[in-house]
Each structure stands twice: as structure tokens, then as C-alpha cells.
């Protein structure tokens, strides 16, 4: 601690902890016992001091249980129940899991949230969790004892203050102070999502926001300090007893602040998702490259020269991989040997890589040689052009000095943008007077090297509804931006599984019936001869699709199928479910079946509960999901599908991680149909639920192409509708879109481009 009390000392790398296979998302400092980290790889790792390397840590436990990426973590100090302490984790899979570190075993699964869990914190022996479903929940001994809507938008963070109150931060840009379930104060000031909160002992609390700023608040609501310096989303913030503050950002840096001033910026080879202080003042960072890093200002703990050089090499390679020349990635440029190939036309240009630069050559047809033109110079590299909003790159990012002691602000601009629109949005976002508008427009035009634009009369002051006055402005103005041309969204109409191998179905039912007939204990549930004939008649009607408009079903036909679902063993019912799957596509069959849907005796929901219970069988899951999917084709079932949405999606959610390609496709098709229906019904809560499920699918690796495509179409269609676009952005949908765009499959790439266009739309 002594070295923290004197003047600030620069931090250097202490060690790297490698083991996660994907982005490290969260960090929890577990007193002196160790460090817990969470990841997109669905694991939580517990790291303990390495006795063989005193400055390093080693991975002592890997906690497996989440089915999607893991985010927030909190520490349970050792007690009678957890002799070596415990970990609480929250995930994209909507679960809160409790782990016993003595054994590394999962001891509690807390189910109740509808969407991603974003925060977990202890309140005495209770667990408090926050979620994108807009709620806070209190859990006691494995059960939810309280749940309340904390904000009208996703809750992104929750902390407990030393005084006992809870504080929540939300995508609605506000922060709320809670005494029990009562909000005692709302803190307003951020202009975008509040992503992270931390206690600042003796002063109040800190908040980090997508608006790029960090704020220190008193509990009265007064802002004691605003820290501006990050050039993109700030994902995390933490404080130390010395008064230092650490923040992590999309701009690939962890910044250390002292008295409101940034005293050091630590570059990383990727986004910094989280950053925390150890008790001794060292810092832990979580990076999108999958590596956990410790940093120290104590020279006795600094990594050796080889490790420091290795890290600098990682940084250098990362920058080269992102550097562009002439709009091209430097690492993708051909080497000098490309000049061995003759040009095809006089004046043809070719850019090749020479060292860390791109050099342009022109083909001289007469001399039959490549003439060197010179080095290709872009604007600043990506590190400088880092976006302000959601990872988007811009042609320019200007520093704007408002004066009056205000901090420097970052203003992003593309050459193709309307400068008036840019100025309007920026002033509103930065909470600056709209009277600055013309001054900002002129600043943009001058610094972008563009000529003066005519006045845009379409502008309306959002407060007064009036146009602003620009002396000498002309009235002619070009039309609005062209409507984007999407290739695959929005999805219209419902998909169905309308093919069936009826002969195979009949053969399997006959085989099962013979097995029951030969078992004295089960002989009473087998089909009678009359029922076998009736089953054959049902199949005949379903096969004859050309007469669907006139053929009919009797109540006894459907009653027979439902009887088999109810009485036959679970291992034998999948061919019966398959017959029902086809029956709901028959106009009269669907109508007759619907009569059997009663609240007190809903045979269909009872069947789904049976097949998704303990040790579910793949054939049952496959036929059941296909049956649900086909129900969407008939509007008779839409109210039923809406009513049971939560239970259906929860029941089949584990299919998401199945390696079975047929199951993947069935599940993603059901999700897409739900998206179409919920968009039609303008059901925002339902859309949020389905968006979360679709994003989970899109995150999966080794996914069938058609399954991924349908999940991406669902995401794009939901975003286009607009009700849940902001939630999608909070889920970093831009990264999913970018990954999809690089796919070798054309339709995946195209729908990725569709989603990216939506991300960039205001």
C-alpha cells in the first residue's frame, strides 16, 4: 500500500492468465483466495496464486454449467455452507448459478429471469440479480422471494452500497437508488446506456456509460466528477481505497484516473470488458482476446523482460492486423513478389506491402515495368479512428473544445453524412444547447475539407418544433436518404415442416404396438384392431394433400392420437407426435385438434412437459419442436402460442446447444416463426425473449448454415421492427453481424450485411 500513497507510479504488466477460449467478460476478486473470471466460452475459471511463481496465478478450477456466455460474478466469503468460499455467476442463458469452491460443483440453479442476467451481488445471505428483462430479483436459499420492474429498459448493472441500499443502472440512461423495492432517487445525466457501477468509498458511487464517460455521484444526486477520455463505450469501472479509478472500454484500453484526470492508458490487443483492483493496488483486466492480465506499479512484481517484449509484440501484431492502407487491411496486401506479375493495362495500379507500409506502383506498358508511385497514406489508423458509438468506424473523429472549462468532446462524422443531421444528433447526445448547431456544422465542413452545405429546412428543434435560422441559407435541399435495400429482412409468413415419411411412421408405430402386445404389463395400452384401422384412415387423409380442402377429421381420430400420447411410454410417442405435426397442417384437422386445448386439460402442453423432462430423447424433442413450428401456419393457434411462449421457449432452450443438426434447424425455425408472430402483435416483451434466444443461437459455433441463417433473419426482422433494436445493440449484435459478413456462405454474409445496415441506422 505504501507505493500507492505517494505520487502516481506507472503500471506495467505483471502476468498473463491464459485458459479461456473466447472473450473474458467478467472479473471477481475473491479476497485473498484468488480471482474468478467469466467468458464467452461459457465457463467460469478460478485462479489461485501460483506457489511456484510468486507473481503469477494458476487456474485451479473450471466451473461448467452455463449454456451460453457468462458475465457478472460475485464472491461468497467462506462460511459453514461454503468452507472455501463460493461464486455466483449470471449468464446469457438467463440463469444465476451458485458454485461451491471446495468441490467446484454447481449447488444452486436460480431460474426466473426471462433474458440475460447482467448483474449479481450479495445482500447479506441473499443474492440480488439484474437482467435485460428490466427486473431486479432477490433470491433466498435457492428461491426467488422478490422481483420487481426496476426500469422500463434493460437493467445493466446492480451494486450494494456500504449503507445497505441497492443501486441499478439501465439502458434508459438512468441510475436508481433502492431502499427495499422502493426507488428513493433517480440519477439523470448520462446520455446513453449505463453499463457498470462501483462503490467509491467515502464519497458515493461510480458509473460507466456507453456515452464514453465515467461519473462520480454523491447519493444526493450531485455529480462530483465526470471523467472523459475513452473514445468508445465504457464497459466497466472500479475504485481502490487509494482513490485511483480504473475503467475498461471498447476502445481497447484500460484507463487509470486520479482526481478526475487520466494518469495512464494501458493499451490492449482487443476490447477491455472488465477491470478490477486487487487489494494491494494491482489491476486485473479482461480482454476480448481471451486473456486475463494483471498489472502492477510495484517494480518487485513486474514481469520479466521476455514477457514484456512478448506483450509488446502482441500489441504490434494486433495493430498491424487492423491497420488499413487505401481501405485495405495491411496484412492482406501482397508482398513485393506480386510485382513479378506483369500488369494488364497502362496505368494499372497495385498496392503491395513493404515492411509496415503499403506502397503503390503503376504499370508502365511501354517500359513493361512497375513504376513506384509512393507510400499509400490513409487517415489515422484504426486505433485513432475508433468509433464513439457501438464499435462503428468513421471517416473522422474530431476533438471539439466547447470552452467554459468543459472537457474535450469527440464528434464522429462520415463524408456521406448530412452535417446538419450529425450536428443535431451530437448536440442532443452531448446535452449541449442547440444554438451551437450552425457553429458545429461549419466546424465539420471546414475540418472535413468539404464545401459549405445549403441550409437544411427539414430540421425541427425537438424542444420547440421550430426550424433554426441560418442567415443567407437557400431553400433547396436534396431528398432524404434512400431506403435501405435489405436482402433477407423482414421475414414475412411462417415456415413449416410439411414433409413426412408416412410409411416409416406407420412401420414404427406397428413395431412399438407389437412390443406392447408381447408385454403382459403393458398389453392393455396397445392399439386394438379397430384403432389400427382408424390410424390407417388418418394417415390416408394426411397423404392425400390434393383433397385437403374437402377431407374431414372426426373427433375420435384426434382423441385416438391424444390417447396414445398420454398412455404410451415416452420412448414410443415420437411417431405419434409426428402424425400430429402433419395433422395441424390440415385445415379441418387443425380445427378439430384445437377443440381439445382446454386450460385444465391441455394435452399438447402436457406432452411437451413430458418430452422435455428428465433425460429428454432427441426424437421426441425433434418431432415436438417441429409440431410447435407447424402450429404457426394456422392463426387458430396464435393466441395459444402467445399464451405459452415462456414455457415453450424455456422447455426447448437446451436444444440450442445440441450437436444434432436437425434439432438445431427445428429450434431456429420455431424461433423465426415466433419472431414473425410477435412483430405482427407488437409484443415488445415477447420480442425481447425471442431476440435473446435468437442471439444465443447465432453465438453458437459449429452451427448448421440454415439454422444460423434463420436465427440471423429473426434478429434482423426484430431489429427492423424497432421495439427491441436497442436491446440488440446492448447484446453487441454488431459483432455477430461482422462475423456473419465474413462467412463463405452467401446468404449468411448477406443477412449479416442487412443487420450491419440496421446497426448503423440512427
Amino acid at each position: 500500500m505504501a507505493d500507492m500513497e505517494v505520487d502516481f507510479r506507472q503500471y506495467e504488466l505483471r502476468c498473463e492468465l491464459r485458459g479461456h477460449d473466447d472473450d473474458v467478460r467478467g472479473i471477481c476478486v475473491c479476497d485473498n483466495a484468488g480471482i474468478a473470471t467469466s467468458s464467452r466460452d461459457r465457463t467460469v475459471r478460478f485462479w489461485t496464486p501460483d506457489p511456484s511463481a510468486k507473481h503469477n496465478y494458476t487456474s485451479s478450477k473450471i466451473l461448467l454449467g452455463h449454456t451460453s456466455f457468462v458475465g457478472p460474478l460475485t464472491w461468497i466469503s467462506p462460511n459453514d455452507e461454503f468452507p472455501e468460499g463460493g461464486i455466483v455467476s449470471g449468464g446469457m442463458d438467463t440463469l444465476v448459478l451458485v458454485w461451491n469452491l471446495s468441490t467446484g460443483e454447481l449447488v444452486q440453479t436460480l431460474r426466473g429471469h426471462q433474458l440475460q442476467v447482467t448483474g449479481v451481488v450479495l445482500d447479506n445471505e441473499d443474492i440480488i440479480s439484474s437482467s435485460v428483462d428490466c427486473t431486479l430479483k432477490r433470491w433466498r436459499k435457492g428461491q426467488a422471494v422478490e422481483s420487481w420492474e426496476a426500469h422500463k429498459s434493460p437493467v445493466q448493472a446492480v451494486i450494494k452500497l456500504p449503507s445497505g441500499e441497492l443501486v441499478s443502472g439501465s439502458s434508459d440512461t438512468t441510475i436508481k437508488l433502492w431502499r427495499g423495492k422502493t426507488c428513493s432517487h433517480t440519477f439523470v445525466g448520462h446520455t446513453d446506456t449505463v453499463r457498470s457501477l462501483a462503490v467509491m468509498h467515502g464519497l458515493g458511487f461510480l458509473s460507466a456509460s456507453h456515452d464514453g464517460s465515467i461519473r462520480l455521484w454523491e447519493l444526493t444526486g450531485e455529480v462530483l466528477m465526470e471523467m472523459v477520455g475513452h473514445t468508445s463505450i465504457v464497459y466497466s469501472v472500479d475504485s481502490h481505497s487509494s482513490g485511483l479509478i480504473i475503467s475498461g472500454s471498447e476502445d481497447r484500453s484500460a484507463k487509470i484516473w486520479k482526481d478526475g484526470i487520466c494518469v495512464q492508458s494501458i493499451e490492449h490487443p482487443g476490447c477491455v470488458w472488465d477491470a478490477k483492483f486487487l487489494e494491494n493496488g494491482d489491476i486485473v483486466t479482461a480482454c476480448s482476446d481471451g486473456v486475463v492480465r494483471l498489472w502492477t506499479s510495484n517494480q518487485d512484481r513486474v514481469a520479466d523482460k521476455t514477457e514484456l517484449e512478448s506483450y509488446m509484440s502482441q500489441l504490434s501484431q494486433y495493430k498491424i492486423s487492423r491497420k488499413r492502407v487505401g481501405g485495405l487491411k495491411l496484412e492482406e496486401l501482397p508482398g513485393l513478389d506480386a510485382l513479378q506479375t506483369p500488369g494488364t493495362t497502362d496505368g494499372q495500379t497495385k498496392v503491395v506491402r513493404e515492411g509496415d507500409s503499403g506502397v503503390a506502383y503503376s504499370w508502365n506498358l511501354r517500359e513493361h515495368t512497375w513504376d513506384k508511385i509512393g507510400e499509400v497514406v490513409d487517415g489515422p489508423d484504426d486505433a485513432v479512428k475508433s468509433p464513439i458509438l457501438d464499435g462503428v468506424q468513421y471517416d473522422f473523429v474530431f476533438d471539439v473544445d466547447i470552452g467554459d472549462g468543459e472537457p474535450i468532446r469527440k464528434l464522429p462524422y462520415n463524408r456521406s453524412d448530412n452535417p446538419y443531421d450529425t450536428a443535431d444528433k451530437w448536440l442532443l447526445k452531448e446535452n449541449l444547447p442547440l444554438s451551437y448547431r450552425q457553429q458545429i456544422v461549419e466546424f465539420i465542413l471546414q475540418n472535413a475539407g468539404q464545401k459549405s452545405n445549403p441550409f437544411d429546412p427539414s430540421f425541427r428543434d425537438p424542444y420547440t418544433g421550430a426550424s433554426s435560422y441560418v442567415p443567407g441559407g437557400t431553400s433547396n435541399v436534396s431528398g432524404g436518404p434512400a431506403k435501405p435495400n435489405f436482402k433477407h429482412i423482414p421475414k414475412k409468413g411462417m415456415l413449416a415442416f410439411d414433409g413426412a415419411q408416412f410409411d416409416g411412421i406407420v412401420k414404427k408405430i406397428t413395431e412399438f404396438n407389437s412390443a406392447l402386445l408381447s408385454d403382459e404389463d403393458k398389453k392393455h395400452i396397445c392399439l386394438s384392431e379397430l384403432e389400427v384401422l382408424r390410424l390407417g384412415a388418418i394417415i390416408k387423409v394426411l397423404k392425400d394433400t390434393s383433397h385437403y380442402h374437402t377431407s374431414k377429421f372426426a373427433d375420435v381420430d384426434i382423441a385416438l392420437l391424444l390417447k396414445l400420447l398420454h398412455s404410451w411410454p415416452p420412448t414410443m410417442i415420437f411417431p405419434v407426435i409426428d402424425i400430429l405435426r402433419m395433422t395441424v397442417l390440415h385445415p379441418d384437422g387443425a380445427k378439430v385438434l384445437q377443440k381439445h386445448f382446454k386450460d385444465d386439460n391441455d394435452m399438447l402442453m402436457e406432452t411437451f412437459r413430458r418430452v422435455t423432462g428428465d433425460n429428454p430423447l432427441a426424437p421426441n424433442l425433434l418431432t415436438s419442436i417441429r409440431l410447435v413450428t407447424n402450429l404457426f401456419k394456422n392463426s387458430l393457434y396464435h393466441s395459444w402460442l402467445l399464451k405459452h411462449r415462456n414455457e415453450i421457449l424455456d422447455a426447448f432452450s437446451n436444444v440450442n446447444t445440441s450437436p444434432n443438426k436437425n434439432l438445431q434447424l427445428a429450434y431456429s425455425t420455431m424461433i423465426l416463426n415466433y419472431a414473425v408472430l410477435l412483430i405482427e402483435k407488437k409484443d415488445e416483451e415477447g420480442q425481447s425473449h425471442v431476440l435473446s434466444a435468437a442471439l444465443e443461437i447465432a453465438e453458437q459455433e459449429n452451427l448448421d448454415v440454415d439454422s444460423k441463417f434463420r436465427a440471423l433473419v429473426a434478429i434482423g426482422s426484430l431489429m427492423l421492427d424497432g421495439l427491441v433494436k436497442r436491446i440488440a445493440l446492448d447484446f453487441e449484435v454488431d459483432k455477430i453481424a461482422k462475423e456473419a459478413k465474413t462467412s463463405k456462405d452467401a446468404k449468411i454474409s448477406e443477412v449479416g450485411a442487412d443487420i450491419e445496415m440496421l446497426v448503423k441506422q440512427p
Side-chain angles (χ1 to χ4, degrees), residues 131-193:
S131 169
V132 173
D133 65 14
C134 306
T135 67
L136 291 175
K137 290 186 186 291
R138 179 181 294 274
W139 309 85
R140 187 173 297 151
K141 296 180 179 177
Q143 300 298 318
V145 294
E146 284 183 338
S147 178
W148 68 99
E149 185 183 77
H151 296 261
K152 294 296 183 183
S153 294
V155 187
Q156 296 287 355
V158 62
I159 58 168
K160 182 187 175 185
L161 299 177
S163 51
E165 298 101 327
L166 298 174
V167 182
S168 61
S170 168
S171 293
D172 65 10
T173 76
T174 70
I175 301 164
K176 292 188 178 183
L177 180 68
W178 300 93
R179 290 188 172 92
K181 291 165 63 177
T182 303
C183 177
S184 59
H185 191 83
T186 300
F187 301 79
V188 179
H190 282 297
T191 58
D192 208 334
T193 296

Side-chain angles (χ1 to χ4, degrees), residues 476-488:
N476 61 325
V477 64
S478 59
K483 188 176 180 180
N485 181 25
F486 299 113
K487 287 203 170 186
H488 297 287

Side-chain angles (χ1 to χ4, degrees), residues 596-603 606 643:
H596 293 263
F597 285 28
K598 297 175 184 175
D599 289 340
D600 58 344
N601 187 28
D602 189 332
M603 287 295 297
E606 183 185 319
K643 177 183 176 182

Side-chain angles (χ1 to χ4, degrees), residues 459-623:
F459 170 75
R460 291 290 180 273
D461 186 316
Y463 303 116
T464 67
S467 298
S468 63
Y469 169 68
V470 182
T474 59
S475 61
N476 61 325
V477 64
S478 59
K483 188 176 180 180
N485 181 25
F486 299 113
K487 287 203 170 186
H488 297 287
I489 57 173
K491 174 73 180 77
K492 299 292 185 185
M494 303 295 182
L495 297 174
F497 293 98
D498 54 7
Q501 297 177 327
F502 287 111
D503 293 344
I505 292 172
V506 171
K507 183 179 178 183
K508 186 57 70 174
I509 288 179
T510 305
E511 176 189 317
F512 287 157
N513 196 55
S514 298
L516 292 171
L517 199 58
S518 62
D519 186 332
E520 285 298 324
D521 294 334
K522 296 177 181 175
K523 195 172 182 179
H524 65 286
I525 61 173
C526 69
L527 289 165
S528 67
E529 288 186 22
L530 184 61
E531 287 173 331
V532 171
L533 290 173
R534 184 168 294 283
L535 194 64
I538 293 170
I539 297 293
K540 185 177 180 182
V541 171
L542 293 175
K543 275 185 172 182
D544 189 9
T545 55
S546 61
H547 290 91
Y548 266 28
H549 60 295
T550 56
S551 55
K552 299 290 182 184
F553 276 85
D555 277 336
V556 289
D557 295 332
I558 303 301
L560 172 60
L561 296 174
L562 295 178
K563 172 195 164 186
L564 295 179
L565 285 183
H566 181 68
S567 62
W568 275 22
T571 53
M572 296 183 173
I573 61 175
F574 67 86
V576 183
I577 300 172
D578 223 15
I579 294 175
L580 275 177
R581 167 178 70 87
M582 299 305 296
T583 303
V584 299
L585 297 178
H586 185 287
D588 190 61
K591 195 181 297 183
V592 176
L593 176 63
Q594 204 232 357
K595 295 177 186 176
H596 293 263
F597 285 28
K598 297 175 184 175
D599 289 340
D600 58 344
N601 187 28
D602 189 332
M603 287 295 297
L604 212 52
M605 276 313 302
E606 183 185 319
T607 300
F608 294 151
R609 291 177 192 126
R610 277 185 82 196
V611 303
T612 58
D614 295 335
N615 302 315
L617 304 171
N620 285 346
L621 292 173
L622 179 61
T623 50

